[in-house]
């Protein structure tokens, strides 16, 4: 790790490197470096290049977003990548791992579950402000680093393939969940036909990608810019509904407890629309109410598809983790439908 950090910085000593955050894809560490007698903190990340197959294109997007936000009136702190001494945004080590470094936001906290309507309002306002500030980015300047990321029709055909070619015992075990998904396929078709405008969207608007100040409890930053790409607003609104409104996080195994909280839904809608309201097209506005169930069902499809195929995408902590996540998302989806 010291060798990697030396590519980016001069320092006397690596004081500490601690695993950080709850991301499902990359490996993240909080780093303490002694530099000229003073301790500095950074975020070091190994980019998962199985999932982000064009690491340089991802970093181009991240840099473009950081530069754009810096030039505008943007009230939050900005996540900025550091360059190596040679001027690159990534360092590739001898094992072909891709490493990058970001600024670390001191005295902040993130949540896996929304704790109050105030928190939901604030976080949604922050995401609203984020897309609003990016609304004049020419979307063809952004690389599409994960093609068909929220193309639910494509996700569904991959899922059908997984039900046929996946691990037979897992396909049998998940029969009820597979049937439930198949019964709601029409939702995917419906969203696919909408032809909503493409915007620069965040594409991963989970509640834990917003940082709050530990002391003031105010939002400080929107982080995780890896998936900023051309997409529709329903993705950002939908993933907020999915992760903010649930009374328990994605890993909760007592599925009876997993339900949409309507007061949180209302608070997040208000927060998001307080920033984005006037920029929405009529068609976007009309379809916001289905975004949450659409996105939640798609997330169930993604978790279950990964489970059926032997867990190659999401990091898991125990063998049935992806099945639990899928059941959890399906419980949330059903409560949204009600
Ligand atoms: C992944 O790694 P993380 O937690 O930021 C995923 C999102 C999913 C999310 C589910 C690139 O995000 O799309 O919604 O897990 N990111 C990618 O929790 O697939
Ligand atoms: Mg992410």
């Amino acid at each position: 790790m010291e060798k990697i950090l030396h590519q980016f910085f001069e320092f006397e000593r690596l004081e500490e490197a601690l695993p950080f955050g709850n991301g499902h894809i990359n490996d993240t560490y909080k780093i303490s470096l002694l530099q000229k007698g003073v301790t500095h903190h950074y975020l070091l990340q190994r980019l998962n290049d199985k999932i982000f197959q064009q690491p340089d294109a991802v970093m181009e997007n991240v840099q473009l977003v950081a530069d754009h936000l810096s030039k505008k009136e943007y009230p939050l702190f900005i996540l900025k990548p550091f360059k190596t001494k040679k001027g690159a945004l990534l360092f590739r080590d001898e094992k072909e791992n891709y490493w990058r470094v970001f600024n670390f936001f001191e005295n902040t906290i993130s949540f896996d579950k929304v704790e109050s309507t105030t928190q939901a309002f604030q976080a949604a306002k922050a995401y609203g402000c984020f897309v609003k500030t990016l609304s004049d980015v020419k979307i063809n300047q952004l690389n599409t680093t994960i093609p068909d990321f929220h193309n639910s029709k494509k996700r569904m055909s991959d899922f059908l393939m997984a039900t046929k070619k996946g691990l037979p015992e897992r396909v049998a075990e998940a029969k009820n969940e597979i049937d439930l998904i198949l019964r709601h396929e029409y939702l995917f078709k419906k969203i696919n036909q909408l032809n909503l405008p493409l915007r620069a969207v965040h594409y991963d608007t989970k509640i834990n990608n917003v940082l709050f100040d530990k002391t003031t409890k105010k939002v400080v930053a929107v982080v995780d810019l890896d998936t900023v790409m051309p997409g529709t607003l329903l993705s950002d609104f939908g993933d907020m509904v999915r992760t903010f409104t649930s009374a328990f996080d994605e890993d909760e195994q007592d599925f009876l407890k997993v339900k949409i909280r309507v007061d949180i839904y209302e608070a997040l809608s208000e927060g998001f629309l307080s920033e984005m309201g006037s920029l929405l097209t009529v068609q976007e506005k009309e379809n916001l109410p289905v975004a949450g169930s659409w996105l939640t069902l798609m997330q169930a499809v993604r978790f279950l598809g990964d489970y059926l195929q032997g867990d190659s995408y999401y990091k898991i902590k125990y063998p049935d983790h992806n099945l639990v996540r899928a059941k959890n998302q399906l419980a949330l989806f059903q409560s949204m439908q009600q």
Side-chain angles (χ1 to χ4, degrees):
M1 206 171 263
E2 289 196 14
K3 205 174 142 201
I4 297 162
L5 288 160
H6 271 300
Q7 304 296 318
F8 290 85
F9 305 111
E10 297 294 340
F11 60 92
E12 289 98 71
R13 192 155 41 89
L14 169 59
E15 292 181 323
E16 204 170 39
L18 297 171
F20 192 79
N22 285 339
H24 296 344
I25 313 274
N26 301 317
D27 299 327
T28 310
Y29 305 88
K30 179 184 175 183
I31 298 295
S32 304
L33 279 190
L34 190 68
Q35 295 175 292
K36 294 190 179 151
V38 182
T39 301
H40 291 271
H41 295 138
Y42 300 98
L43 210 70
L44 173 70
Q45 229 177 15
R46 190 181 71 82
L47 188 76
N48 182 333
D49 65 325
K50 247 170 59 192
I51 287 169
F52 294 106
Q53 293 182 6
Q54 312 166 53
D56 292 321
V58 170
M59 294 315 289
E60 264 177 43
N61 283 357
V62 169
Q63 182 76 67
L64 184 139
V65 171
D67 287 347
H68 192 86
L69 297 176
S70 310
K71 282 189 218 131
K72 311 283 289 197
E73 245 177 68
Y74 180 67
L76 304 171
F77 288 126
I78 300 168
L79 187 71
K80 291 179 183 161
F82 281 92
K83 287 194 170 138
T84 65
K85 292 173 185 167
K86 291 182 183 153
L89 291 169
L90 286 167
F91 168 64
R92 199 172 78 170
D93 68 18
E94 64 275 11
K95 290 185 195 137
E96 308 220 338
N97 289 312
Y98 289 87
W99 296 92
R100 62 198 178 160
V101 180
F102 291 105
N103 46 338
F104 184 84
F105 298 108
E106 301 292 344
N107 198 43
T108 61
I109 182 166
S110 68
F111 302 91
D112 291 323
K113 189 191 128 184
V114 165
E115 291 173 346
S116 67
T117 50
T118 318
Q119 207 179 58
F121 179 91
Q122 277 199 57
K125 185 170 159 52
Y127 279 129
C129 179
F130 181 86
V131 269
K132 184 177 85 181
T133 313
L134 292 182
S135 62
D136 58 341
V137 167
K138 294 198 180 51
I139 55 155
N140 56 10
Q141 287 183 285
L142 281 170
N143 304 309
T144 294
T145 50
I146 305 183
D148 293 316
F149 190 44
H150 283 185
N151 177 349
S152 44
K153 213 172 133 198
K154 172 83 169 43
R155 294 272 178 203
M156 197 62 201
S157 64
D158 292 351
F159 178 74
L160 286 176
M161 187 65 91
T163 63
K164 296 198 179 88
K165 302 246 163 86
L167 304 168
E169 66 282 5
R170 287 192 167 191
V171 174
E173 190 183 357
K175 183 176 184 309
N176 293 343
E177 288 71 34
I178 294 171
D179 289 348
L180 179 63
I181 289 169
L182 295 179
R183 282 204 300 281
H184 291 92
E185 201 185 341
Y186 67 90
L187 242 176
F188 292 158
K189 290 194 179 130
K190 185 180 157 189
I191 301 279
N192 247 61
Q193 284 161 0
L194 291 176
N195 263 321
L196 296 174
L198 288 181
R199 301 173 177 273
V201 297
H202 182 280
Y203 252 142
D204 195 9
T205 53
K206 294 164 77 159
I207 183 59
N208 63 14
N209 279 333
V210 174
L211 304 185
F212 292 80
D213 187 291
K214 270 188 196 158
T215 321
T216 66
K217 311 279 189 277
K218 294 242 155 68
V219 172
V220 176
V222 165
V223 296
D224 189 355
L225 309 180
D226 292 339
T227 46
V228 176
M229 283 185 276
T232 78
L233 215 60
L234 294 204
S235 287
D236 279 7
F237 192 79
D239 228 4
M240 283 194 290
V241 177
R242 179 179 79 82
T243 62
F244 289 29
T245 68
S246 179
F248 289 85
D249 71 27
E250 278 172 359
D251 284 352
E252 177 56 51
Q253 306 204 17
D254 184 351
F255 309 121
L256 289 174
K257 296 198 302 203
V258 180
K259 289 192 178 92
I260 180 173
R261 293 173 294 175
V262 176
D263 57 337
I264 302 283
Y265 178 81
E266 281 163 0
L268 89 80
S269 300
E270 263 176 54
F272 188 73
L273 294 175
S274 71
E275 292 286 339
M276 273 304 284
S278 61
L279 290 182
L280 295 187
T281 65
V282 174
Q283 212 197 7
E284 282 175 326
K285 212 173 245 176
E286 277 174 355
N287 286 290
L288 286 187
V290 294
S293 38
W294 165 65
L295 214 290
T296 306
L297 186 63
M298 180 161 60
Q299 192 61 59
V301 165
R302 294 176 63 190
F303 284 142
L304 193 57
D306 198 31
Y307 176 73
L308 300 180
Q309 285 171 302
D311 310 308
S312 62
Y313 193 95
Y314 293 109
K315 283 187 203 169
I316 51 162
K317 294 193 176 123
Y318 54 93
D320 281 356
H321 200 161
N322 275 320
L323 179 62
V324 164
R325 289 167 172 154
K327 287 184 179 175
N328 170 305
Q329 296 294 290
L330 287 172
L332 181 61
F333 167 73
Q334 286 178 298
S335 129
M336 287 173 173
Q337 293 287 89
Q338 277 173 17

